Amino acid sequence: MHERGSDRPVLVGASNPSVVQQLVRTAGDLARLGSGRVRIVTVAVKPPDSPFGVFTDETIVREFATESHELLAEVQAPPEITVERDVIAARTAAKGLLEAVESVDPVALVIGWQGPTSRSDAVLGTTVDTLVERARCDLYVERVGREADGVDSILLPVAGGPHVGAAATIAAAIAVRNDARVTVFTVADQAADGDQASRFVEEGKTAIEATPGATPLVESGVVRATDVGDAIVDESSGHDIVVMGATRKGSLRRKIAGSVPRRIVERIDGTVVLARDSDTVDHAHGLRSSLRR
């Protein structure tokens, strides 16, 4: 794979022991498209008013980050993947991960999402929102759902926009690894007539075919419905994973993160991955642009 891509790793932001292995598995699927390297980073947070402020970052990492070191030690490397592990200290988890992105220069960052936030101005939560807006690489936000025996089917809802390529890339990577099929799906509502819906589907299929490596089995579907969210939630019941690109409507933040994906994720029991393309962030380049070099 190295002759087609760069040596840049896929970065994983880890904090929750219950989901970190799943995030590393997803990162491993992406890494097989390129360098075969995954770098896991945990952040030892040191708030400004904390007594930890008197210590250096090196001391905090060495003396006061036992849980972070234990979390990293327990992660098992996926087959054929090289896993690197790192603990860093920062004022917030978001700042730490942004510093890691600048230092490591990954092709993509994979992070977890715990669920709905109580903040009315936060779409996916303040840490995730900050990374969606500022992380200068492809970003994948995974909400790990109910346990499944395996992955046989992946739903890829599409409606145009700049994030279709990133969503198609991870859908293809997971499908190839699990010998699963991808269903490219769109909803023809009042904003999208039949011809436009067909173009969205063809765009999604083309993006999957452009992903390096073996091409998975791809199916497609178009339904007519008045509520896009309801239609996607209904369709999701027949699939193991749903992968969505960020939407482009609404206020500045929602142009990137998207309120529609958030409302859909909250209603789906299974695993959902939200993809944000690096090209929407200034001076960034992600997995697909790296593989084209």
Side-chain angles (χ1 to χ4, degrees):
M1 298 298 293
H2 291 275
E3 67 276 15
R4 287 188 300 198
S6 72
D7 194 41
R8 297 161 60 201
V10 176
L11 190 68
V12 176
S15 61
N16 186 342
S18 67
V19 301
V20 63
Q21 194 65 56
Q22 175 60 47
L23 300 183
V24 171
R25 191 176 300 124
T26 299
D29 292 343
L30 282 171
R32 288 187 181 86
L33 302 178
S35 68
R37 293 172 53 217
V38 169
R39 190 177 186 90
I40 315 170
V41 173
T42 64
V43 180
V45 177
K46 50 170 189 177
D49 56 350
S50 168
F52 286 112
V54 302
F55 298 107
T56 65
D57 290 354
E58 291 76 13
T59 299
I60 292 173
V61 169
R62 186 179 62 251
E63 304 291 342
F64 302 104
T66 302
E67 291 184 358
S68 295
H69 289 290
E70 290 176 349
L71 182 152
L72 293 180
E74 292 176 358
V75 174
Q76 299 179 1
E80 306 169 1
I81 295 296
T82 299
V83 172
E84 303 158 350
R85 306 158 202 260
D86 195 15
V87 180
I88 60 177
R91 295 294 186 189
T92 67
K95 287 184 177 180
L97 290 175
L98 288 172
E99 290 172 5
V101 168
E102 293 300 313
S103 174
V104 175
D105 190 25
V107 290
L109 170 63
V110 178
I111 59 175
W113 180 47
Q114 305 301 321
T117 174
S118 59
R119 284 270 308 274
S120 60
D121 61 339
V123 179
L124 296 174
T126 52
T127 297
V128 177
D129 282 2
T130 299
L131 295 173
V132 168
E133 293 178 359
R134 298 175 54 190
R136 299 198 298 178
C137 61
D138 290 346
L139 176 66
Y140 296 99
V141 182
E142 181 165 356
R143 201 290 308 277
V144 177
R146 54 178 161 70
E147 291 287 338
D149 295 335
V151 179
D152 297 321
S153 180
I154 300 165
L155 181 66
L156 177 63
V158 293
H163 307 287
V164 173
T169 296
I170 197 167
I174 296 172
V176 167
R177 178 61 183 168
N178 292 277
D179 196 23
R181 71 180 186 280
V182 179
T183 298
V184 182
F185 176 80
T186 197
V187 181
D189 62 356
Q190 294 179 344
D193 60 25
D195 290 341
Q196 187 180 41
S198 297
R199 288 196 297 273
F200 289 158
V201 167
E202 289 305 313
E203 180 181 332
K205 293 169 67 175
T206 299
I208 290 175
E209 293 169 356
T211 302
T215 301
L217 175 64
V218 178
E219 300 176 345
S220 62
V222 178
V223 301
R224 185 166 294 280
T226 57
D227 189 295
V228 174
D230 287 347
I232 294 174
V233 171
D234 290 344
E235 179 67 20
S236 70
S237 62
H239 303 270
D240 300 303
I241 298 176
V242 178
V243 177
M244 291 186 292
T247 55
R248 53 185 174 177
K249 298 178 180 178
S251 64
L252 176 62
R253 179 174 293 156
R254 286 168 173 75
K255 283 182 180 178
I256 303 172
S259 57
V260 171
R262 182 193 62 178
R263 288 189 285 107
I264 293 172
V265 170
E266 293 171 358
R267 299 167 58 194
I268 294 176
D269 292 334
T271 293
V272 181
V273 180
L274 176 64
R276 191 228 56 192
D277 192 286
S278 62
D279 289 344
T280 60
V281 180
D282 290 341
H283 307 297
H285 57 284
L287 179 59
R288 284 167 299 106
S289 61
S290 175
L291 295 174
R292 289 195 294 267
R293 294 175 180 177

